Amino acid sequence: MKSLPATSSALPTIFALAITLLISGCGGSGSGSGSGGTSSGTPAISSVTVKCSPTSISTNQTSACTPTVSGTGSFSSAVTWSLSPSSIGSVSSTGVFTPTTTGAATITAASTQDATKSGSMAVTVTASGQTTTGYIVGLASLATGGTTAAEWQLTSGSSTAVASALPLPSGVTGGSVATGIAVSGSDVYVAGDAVSNGYLIAAYWVNGTATTLPLPSGILNSVGTGIAVSGSDVYVAGDAYNGDAEETGTAAYWVNGTLKTLPLPSGTTGAVANGIAVSGSNVYVAGDLGLTAGTEIAGYWANGTPKILPLPSSTLQSSATSIAVSGSNVYVAGYAVDNAVSNTTAAYWVNGTLETLSLPSGTVGAVANGIAVSGSDVYVAGYGYENDAPETEIAAYWVNGKATTLPLPSGTTSAQATGIAVSGSNVYVVGSGYNSATQTYTPAYWVNGTLETLPLSSGTIGAQATGIALLPQ
């Protein structure tokens, strides 16, 4: 039998890279608790962090950046500022960034006492008069090896997105990935994970500031898979595990950093959480609930109560990849494996009622990765594949069950769609193309089926887009 595809094809590769590679970190790691020290002993700098506000500006605005220097003894809190690329503007001796052109700027503060200790933060600059329409997140492959969590800002009236890398959480020196995004007002929330001391740790970012999330007792690894915001509360879905993430994993979510594990259905040995949605005081988490003896069953938790979703005819196992709520209706996207021919069937469920999706033209199987709802219309993103061989995927999306295939990014041989969002009559789909010869990824998005390739940030050689959130218009 064909094994179940990953909920996002990027994720298993990401996690393997994160665990097995020693990934070089970026500036900004370390924790800070003040601007100076008074303790006795030899003065030493332990870390420098930077926080800029706002992190998204136009060319007629400025961003104020504040350093936090930590150390021992009577250390100096003085820093020197630098800007990359230098052509994008200037940064004053007090940390005020003034842009002169659009793009992604990295503002860095380095200790004057110990120049090896520095911290950085990214600020996105758009043209004056233009407004942000949304954000895309994912991961970028570093030229030096490993990955970094990535973010792209979309601007109204422009097909050019601005790319930036998200800073590492404090004290983390490994790589990172971003898997989910939400926006609330002017705030941008991103879920993902990072490598810390050889283990994965779930994290989230609020306007570029990273926070790691606590592990269940006795667990070594955790990953963040989705994020939702309700009022002032931030919800992050994810998994915690030792060894095999699926067979023995613990599905969980965090509310404002407080861990809440999700119960297993009777007779199962593990579970994973792949997405989260919040409506009022109700919390819904989608994932794979029946992990036992190599079998996965799609389902979701409603306020902690597990609900198994029905399988399509002639299938044995299934996976739930994402979730959305509209009014009193709960929508879950996913797929199931056909027992007879080992192909997958893309599907979604509305309040537990199954709806199978048609195959994209020229494909023999399909997977659904993302779901969005607007009024009475249901939008699903995913991909079909031409045969059982690798690298034959065709990115696609469905509107009320009808499939539309998406064009490949230039220079790629296959593509997957991983997320979807709707604004008015416009449908935005995000995903990535893959070149099997060079083994590189090209991030992209499609608006009503029209392809836009996403740029790469400095120091990266490829990237994958995993999620999208649009601002209210």
Side-chain angles (χ1 to χ4, degrees), residues 210-301:
T211 300
T212 55
L213 295 166
L215 287 160
S217 177
I219 301 296
L220 298 175
N221 294 286
S222 63
V223 295
T225 56
I227 193 165
V229 180
S230 179
S232 60
D233 296 322
V234 182
Y235 299 78
V236 179
D239 313 322
Y241 61 94
N242 293 324
D244 193 313
E246 293 183 346
E247 300 259 339
T248 61
T250 298
Y253 70 95
W254 293 262
V255 184
N256 302 324
T258 299
L259 172 69
K260 295 182 180 294
T261 57
L262 293 165
L264 290 171
S266 176
T268 62
T269 59
V272 297
N274 294 324
I276 190 166
V278 179
S279 178
S281 60
N282 298 311
V283 181
Y284 303 90
V285 180
D288 304 337
L289 279 67
L291 302 175
T292 181
T295 300
E296 304 176 4
I297 301 297
Y300 67 99
W301 291 265

Side-chain angles (χ1 to χ4, degrees), residues 136-446:
I136 294 170
V137 292
L139 65 146
S141 299
L142 296 168
T144 54
T147 63
T148 183
E151 182 180 283
W152 293 267
Q153 180 175 303
L154 306 181
T155 302
S156 177
S158 172
S159 62
T160 303
V162 176
S164 60
L166 290 168
L168 286 168
S170 177
V172 173
T173 57
S176 59
V177 303
T179 55
I181 184 167
V183 293
S184 179
S186 60
D187 297 319
V188 182
Y189 302 82
V190 178
D193 43 79
V195 181
S196 179
N197 298 319
Y199 297 100
L200 286 167
I201 184 166
Y204 70 102
W205 290 259
V206 181
N207 300 327
T209 298
T211 300
T212 55
L213 295 166
L215 287 160
S217 177
I219 301 296
L220 298 175
N221 294 286
S222 63
V223 295
T225 56
I227 193 165
V229 180
S230 179
S232 60
D233 296 322
V234 182
Y235 299 78
V236 179
D239 313 322
Y241 61 94
N242 293 324
D244 193 313
E246 293 183 346
E247 300 259 339
T248 61
T250 298
Y253 70 95
W254 293 262
V255 184
N256 302 324
T258 299
L259 172 69
K260 295 182 180 294
T261 57
L262 293 165
L264 290 171
S266 176
T268 62
T269 59
V272 297
N274 294 324
I276 190 166
V278 179
S279 178
S281 60
N282 298 311
V283 181
Y284 303 90
V285 180
D288 304 337
L289 279 67
L291 302 175
T292 181
T295 300
E296 304 176 4
I297 301 297
Y300 67 99
W301 291 265
N303 299 321
T305 300
K307 298 178 181 293
I308 299 293
L309 293 169
L311 288 163
S313 177
S314 301
T315 61
L316 174 65
Q317 53 184 325
S318 58
S319 178
T321 56
S322 61
I323 191 166
V325 178
S326 179
S328 60
N329 298 317
V330 180
Y331 299 79
V332 178
Y335 57 89
V337 175
D338 188 304
N339 298 341
V341 294
S342 299
N343 285 325
T344 55
T345 299
Y348 70 93
W349 295 261
V350 184
N351 301 324
T353 299
L354 172 69
E355 300 283 347
T356 57
L357 295 167
S358 62
L359 286 171
S361 177
T363 65
V364 298
V367 170
N369 283 326
I371 191 166
V373 181
S374 179
S376 60
D377 298 319
V378 181
Y379 302 82
V380 178
Y383 64 94
Y385 52 89
E386 295 173 342
N387 54 55
D388 217 22
E391 288 87 49
T392 63
E393 294 93 352
I394 299 172
Y397 72 102
W398 292 260
V399 182
N400 299 325
K402 182 180 179 180
T404 298
T405 57
L406 296 167
L408 286 169
S410 177
T412 65
T413 54
S414 67
Q416 295 188 15
T418 50
I420 191 165
V422 180
S423 177
S425 61
N426 296 317
V427 182
Y428 290 72
V429 179
V430 297
S432 310
Y434 180 69
N435 185 311
S436 58
T438 60
Q439 297 185 353
T440 55
Y441 289 90
T442 298
Y445 71 102
W446 297 262

Side-chain angles (χ1 to χ4, degrees), residues 3-112:
S3 61
L4 282 174
T7 56
S8 168
S9 66
L11 300 186
T13 302
I14 300 164
F15 299 156
L17 284 171
I19 294 173
T20 59
L21 296 178
L22 178 61
I23 304 173
S24 60
C26 61
S29 63
S31 60
S33 58
S35 61
T38 58
S39 60
S40 61
T42 303
I45 304 298
S46 59
S47 66
V48 179
T49 59
V50 172
K51 184 173 184 179
C52 299
S53 181
T55 56
S56 178
I57 60 176
S58 60
T59 49
N60 62 346
Q61 297 175 313
T62 61
S63 180
C65 300
T66 304
T68 299
V69 182
S70 297
T72 58
S74 299
F75 65 88
S76 171
S77 61
V79 297
T80 56
W81 293 95
S82 61
L83 178 66
S84 178
S86 58
S87 59
I88 201 169
S90 62
V91 58
S92 72
S93 60
T94 58
V96 176
F97 166 51
T98 302
T100 56
T101 188
T102 61
T106 301
I107 296 93
T108 300
S111 167
T112 57

